């Protein structure tokens, strides 16, 4: 596996606040890499360091196997990024905007290339429309078009779906999948919403207060863990005694007044349910919650207090 980004001991301090704290991160070629964390976790700060917009206090960043500090220009010319809400000339057309932005960044873009990119982001039919008539989602897609003009190998998107409605979110998600699967791009995508990233990412990292919480493939992180399952029953005492002499006893985490909590593998849920029903216990509900999801929800809620 070829490493596209390798971050070591990356740290950024602002006075007495450590925004990024000894971060280690690896992105491989072909990854859709989910960079997750609640608001204020340090995602943008990390991305800004990767794009050489701010200087790390400590640590190193290698991209395409080269140190960013020494090969800044070479590296950045192979990256396409959206870090802030893209700015456009509102009174000019989508096409004209891309033409001008291409010229400003010294990218030699033909009409064919601009139309090809507009088609990729689903704006070809609106290429003559003024950008001021665009929805937020369309502007976001035009931003992505701009980032793609010079055909970068690595695409870095900082919270690209912020403020979009479900349809807009889906369009960006489909576009990311297309760029990854059909165009072979490597993509780093930051978000504070686990669910949004989990469905398209191949690998991910979760950070909080600048520190890594977990990192790995999405399958490893989302599926390998046993789940906590809340089982609501008609009679907790009876349910407890019916598992007393079975292996299920080892899976029991806690018992409340009308529910039991178990730690189970996915396939065990139905078997436990059957056991209860066959023992004459009424099961009103079985609700699985993944502990990583629980955890993520908690830190996200804390950050929003
Ligand atoms: P995220 O992108 O995960 O929401 P950020 O990287 O924007 O988080 O912020 C991480 C922390 O660093 C926050 O506590 C934020 O307030 C702080 N921070 C970011 N930029 C600056 C800055 N220029 N000066 C001081 N503190 C900053």
């Amino acid at each position: 596996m070829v490493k596209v980004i390798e971050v070591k001991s990356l740290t950024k301090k602002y006075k007495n606040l450590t925004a990024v704290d000894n971060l280690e991160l690896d992105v491989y070629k072909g990854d859709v890499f989910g960079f997750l964390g609640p608001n204020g976790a340090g995602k943008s700060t990390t991305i800004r360091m990767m794009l050489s917009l701010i200087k790390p206090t400590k640590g190193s960043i290698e991209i395409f196997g080269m140190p960013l500090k020494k090969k800044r220009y070479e590296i950045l010319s192979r990256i396409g990024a959206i870090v802030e809400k893209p700015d456009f000339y509102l009174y000019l057309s989508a096409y004209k905007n891309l033409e001008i932005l291409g010229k400003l960044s010294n990218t030699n873009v033909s009409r064919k290339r601009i139309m090809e990119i507009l088609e990729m982001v689903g704006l070809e039919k609106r290429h003559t429309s003024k950008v001021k008539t665009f929805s937020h989602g369309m502007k976001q897609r035009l931003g992505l078009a701009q980032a793609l003009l010079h055909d970068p190998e690595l695409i870095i998107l900082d919270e690209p779906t912020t403020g979009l409605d479900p349809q807009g979110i889906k369009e960006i998600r489909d576009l990311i999948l297309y760029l990854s699967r059909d165009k072979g791009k490597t993509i780093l995508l930051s978000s504070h919403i686990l669910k949004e990233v989990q469905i398209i990412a191949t690998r991910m990292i979760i950070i909080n207060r600048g520190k890594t919480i977990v990192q790995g493939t999405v399958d490893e992180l989302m599926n390998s863990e046993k789940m906590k399952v809340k089982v609501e029953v008609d009679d907790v005492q009876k349910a407890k005694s019916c598992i007393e002499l079975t292996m299920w006893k080892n899976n029991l985490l806690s018992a409340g007044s009308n529910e039991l909590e178990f730690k189970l593998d996915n396939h065990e849920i139905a078997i436990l349910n059957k056991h209860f029903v066959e023992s004459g216990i009424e099961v009103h509900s079985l609700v699985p919650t993944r502990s990583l999801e629980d955890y993520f929800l908690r830190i996200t809620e804390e950050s929003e207090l």
Side-chain angles (χ1 to χ4, degrees):
M1 283 201 291
V2 179
K3 262 188 206 171
V4 175
I5 305 178
E6 181 171 16
V7 162
K8 283 191 181 148
S9 313
L10 191 65
T11 302
K12 178 72 186 179
K13 290 189 179 160
Y14 291 112
K15 292 195 178 134
N16 44 16
L17 173 92
T18 307
V20 176
D21 195 352
N22 273 300
L23 194 71
E24 309 267 320
L25 176 157
D26 293 315
V27 177
Y28 295 94
K29 194 170 164 51
D31 268 344
V32 174
F33 187 87
F35 189 22
L36 280 153
N39 289 325
K43 304 181 297 295
S44 294
T45 306
T46 304
I47 287 177
R48 296 175 81 80
M49 288 191 276
M50 284 175 181
L51 295 171
S52 243
L53 295 168
I54 51 172
K55 268 195 188 153
T57 310
K58 200 191 90 186
S60 69
I61 302 174
E62 282 199 0
I63 302 183
F64 307 124
M66 298 179 278
L68 182 61
K69 242 170 144 176
K70 297 208 177 97
K71 303 275 180 180
R72 182 170 183 260
Y73 184 75
E74 228 174 307
I75 291 171
L76 294 180
S77 66
R78 293 163 66 186
I79 301 179
I82 313 187
V83 277
E84 262 144 29
K85 213 164 101 283
D87 256 343
F88 295 106
Y89 301 101
L90 296 176
Y91 288 89
L92 297 179
S93 69
Y95 179 89
K96 199 76 193 162
N97 265 279
L98 290 186
E99 193 180 53
I100 292 174
L101 293 166
K103 279 188 186 139
L104 286 178
S105 62
N106 277 330
T107 315
N108 193 10
V109 279
S110 62
R111 179 177 174 82
K112 186 167 161 271
R113 175 74 187 148
I114 294 179
M115 288 313 292
E116 203 176 271
I117 298 231
L118 284 169
E119 191 182 339
M120 206 185 283
V121 301
L123 289 173
E124 78 281 13
K125 291 203 182 84
R126 295 290 301 273
H127 77 277
T128 55
S129 305
K130 285 181 182 163
V131 172
K132 77 179 174 90
T133 66
F134 280 12
S135 68
H136 180 41
M138 290 163 79
K139 283 186 194 147
Q140 216 44 14
R141 282 185 280 140
L142 188 59
L144 202 50
Q146 181 204 338
L148 294 172
L149 269 182
H150 59 298
D151 200 20
E153 292 155 62
L154 170 64
I155 300 165
I156 297 181
L157 306 171
D158 194 7
E159 303 258 5
T161 55
T162 302
L164 294 185
D165 60 12
Q167 177 60 26
I169 292 175
K170 185 175 179 308
E171 285 165 2
I172 295 284
R173 187 193 300 152
D174 290 347
L175 199 53
I176 291 171
L177 284 175
Y178 168 77
L179 290 168
S180 159
R181 290 178 190 162
D182 294 33
K183 297 283 171 182
K185 308 288 185 193
T186 304
I187 295 159
L188 182 141
L189 165 72
S190 85
S191 175
H192 64 282
I193 303 164
L194 178 63
K195 279 210 166 67
E196 218 175 276
V197 166
Q198 177 195 332
I199 44 179
I200 51 172
T202 48
R203 291 163 36 78
M204 64 183 181
I205 187 170
I206 298 180
I207 67 166
N208 190 26
R209 297 195 181 138
K211 286 197 171 87
T212 306
I213 308 300
V214 285
Q215 177 166 204
T217 70
V218 171
D219 280 350
E220 263 165 33
L221 297 179
M222 301 312 297
N223 300 326
S224 68
E225 284 181 295
K226 283 188 185 258
M227 286 178 276
K228 277 191 195 166
V229 183
K230 285 188 173 149
V231 185
E232 198 189 336
V233 291
D234 60 339
D235 186 337
V236 167
Q237 285 317 316
K238 197 169 155 200
K240 270 172 86 177
S241 56
C242 110
I243 58 164
E244 191 56 41
L245 296 172
T246 68
M247 59 166 190
W248 300 112
K249 195 180 168 215
N250 303 324
N251 299 72
L252 184 64
L253 294 172
S254 63
S257 59
N258 61 353
E259 67 178 25
L260 300 163
E261 194 172 49
F262 289 89
K263 208 163 174 62
L264 299 171
D265 272 336
N266 207 5
H267 75 278
E268 291 173 322
I269 301 176
I271 309 174
L272 176 65
N273 185 34
K274 190 160 172 270
H275 175 71
F276 278 143
V277 173
E278 283 174 0
S279 312
I281 289 156
E282 270 182 48
V283 176
H284 297 311
S285 67
L286 281 151
V287 184
T289 51
R290 292 179 198 283
S291 45
L292 192 63
E293 276 178 17
D294 279 354
Y295 171 80
F296 196 79
L297 208 62
R298 206 178 67 233
I299 58 174
T300 304
E301 278 165 1
E302 276 168 9
S303 84
E304 278 159 12
L305 286 180

